[in-house]
Amino acid sequence: MAGMTISQKILAKKSNRDFLKAGEIVLADVDLAFANDITAPIAIDFVKRLGVDVFDKNKVALIPDHFTPNKDINSANQCKIMRDFVREKDLPLYWETGEVGIEHALLPEQGYIKPGMLVVGADSHTCTHGALGAFATGMGSTDVGFAFATGKSWFRVPESIKFIYKGKRNKWVYGKDLILYTIGKIGVAGALYKSMEFTGDAIKELSMEDRLTMCNMAVEAGAKNGIIEPDDITIEYLKERDIDRSEYEILKSDDDAEYSDIIEIDVSNIEPQVAFPHLPSNTKGISEIKEDIKIDQAFIGSCTNGRISDLREAAKVLKGNKVAKYVRLIIIPATVEVYKQALKEGLFDIFLEAGAVISTPTCGPCLGGYMGILADGEVCISTSNRNFVGRMGSKKAYVYLSSPAVAAASAVAGKIIHPDEVIK
Amino acid sequence: MRIKGRVWVYPDNVDTDVIIPARYLNTSDPKELAKHCMEDIDENFAEQVKEGDIIVAGYNFGSGSSREHAPIAIKASGVACVIAKSFSRIFYRNAFNIGLPILESDVSDELEKGDEIEVDTQKGEIVVLKNGKIFKSSVIPEFMQQLIESGGLFGYAKKLLNV
């Protein structure tokens, strides 16, 4: 009998099975289920129609992060549905404006994600949490409503693709560049229905925040989940959140586990990446861009790249520089903790001197919600995860994806540019 | 189930942002969502779609967001069925969960907007009426058939919880 991948092992454990093979369908126990202000109302309605309580008060999280602080009356009403439900059921895992952050930044930061957990969220970027060695996948509201009520969800056990990253990263190359490069290589459906398992020496050297960024974008290749085996960096990240080694189980893929594909990538060949409109797979190395791509807006934030390390990298580039005339630079820390830390480190002084605007945590511009909507014909370089038609406002606008360093440099130059061009 | 209708044809990678843009996601009301269905890929869709029409498309239909509002908008528009070469996995589950029939087939290569097809979901067969060509489609996995028989996820939850 062949071995199992880490994803198979977690699903097997949660469905009380010794062995699972890819393609089997199981009903498994979830350790955490969550939804946001767009997706929660439909999930809450599911629970209410059943007339039951949630399966476990401490395993249901409601995170109003998309249109908060509320951008209009309808979105305020959506949030009220969440707030009323949280009050009625007395649910502890709820964060009001002033405390709330973007769900996929907030949950790991606050110590709610541990290795070996089975996590479902009514948001496609739930796959972010695989960075901590959890099996985490996005679903719709009805699926998550089912999980809220029963504590269970059904899964088709995915085939896995193993990605082995080797070599030494170049300067200005981050987790974001590795994942953009990877999606460029395999395409937006390259891992459809599958698990993307990120391994190799170059991953071992990656910080937890860079790993979260990589797993965040697994869904942009169609994957069910992205996952990284826990190691010393994982254990250290959890220790900083007072989570003891005895509180979780570290699972690893067997040497003889079956993979549908194994892809090796030498990271020393990767330069800063830019995804062109209108797909995250339209990536180019920055030196391959021969034309001037003038920008109207740069956005640094989102569940992909709104963490403290992202703001530090942006500040490195922006220090002593000014945003180009007629360009808007919008910076949104992903959580209140990130906001406080950036303030303490003096990063906001650098951003404000450069001419950026800083917002309270929200998903806002990433999905064309508010706080940075693009007009017809405008161009934005964004650290978020998607550049679909109409994603950030007008369907006649153009969104390019990059790391915070490239976005910051581009804001200064007024066109898409390598950070080395700004910091000579 | 047998469905006969005229088709709307779309390419690969039709994502949830063009099916229902985020600017309309401050409500979950199906009727409101239907007013803007497919708006960023096809301005005429919401106005011209008729009850019983069928959407056919290429690979990776419904990619992107987990928003269940996307299949809800399509269903509320009166669309009887979506047939694509492949679906994003979250969209596939969502469509199934809200009772929007979806099938995997290559039939879009054969069709132009307005053509008529006849779909037999049990047999997994699609007939192109203009030339009689028959396309095979995927069949629904057994576990999912059982879910349908339990009354969908809601009925299955009732059974599990004994309520």
Side-chain angles (χ1 to χ4, degrees), chain B residues 43-83:
Chain B
E43 281 171 358
N44 301 318
F45 181 87
E47 206 175 286
Q48 295 173 4
V49 67
K50 287 202 183 103
E51 194 74 30
D53 282 358
I54 295 166
I55 289 177
V56 296
Y59 293 104
N60 203 22
F61 187 91
S63 47
S65 163
S66 69
R67 62 188 71 155
E68 205 161 294
H69 310 67
I72 288 173
I74 292 174
K75 194 181 177 200
S77 300
V79 168
C81 176
V82 183
I83 305 168

Side-chain angles (χ1 to χ4, degrees), chain A residues 109-123:
Chain A
E109 174 201 82
Q110 296 296 317
Y112 290 102
I113 309 293
K114 296 174 208 166
M117 279 175 73
L118 179 55
V119 179
V120 298
D123 189 280

Side-chain angles (χ1 to χ4, degrees), chain A residues 1 14 16 54-55 71 91 100 103 117 181 192 198 230 249 295 302 305 317 365 368 374 395:
Chain A
M1 191 159 57
K14 300 299 171 185
N16 288 316
V54 299
F55 80 104
K71 69 157 184 147
L91 302 179
V100 81
E103 50 200 321
M117 279 175 73
Y181 178 87
L192 198 57
F198 303 118
E249 187 180 6
I295 60 163
S302 86
N305 282 114
V317 177
L374 299 174
K395 67 175 185 181

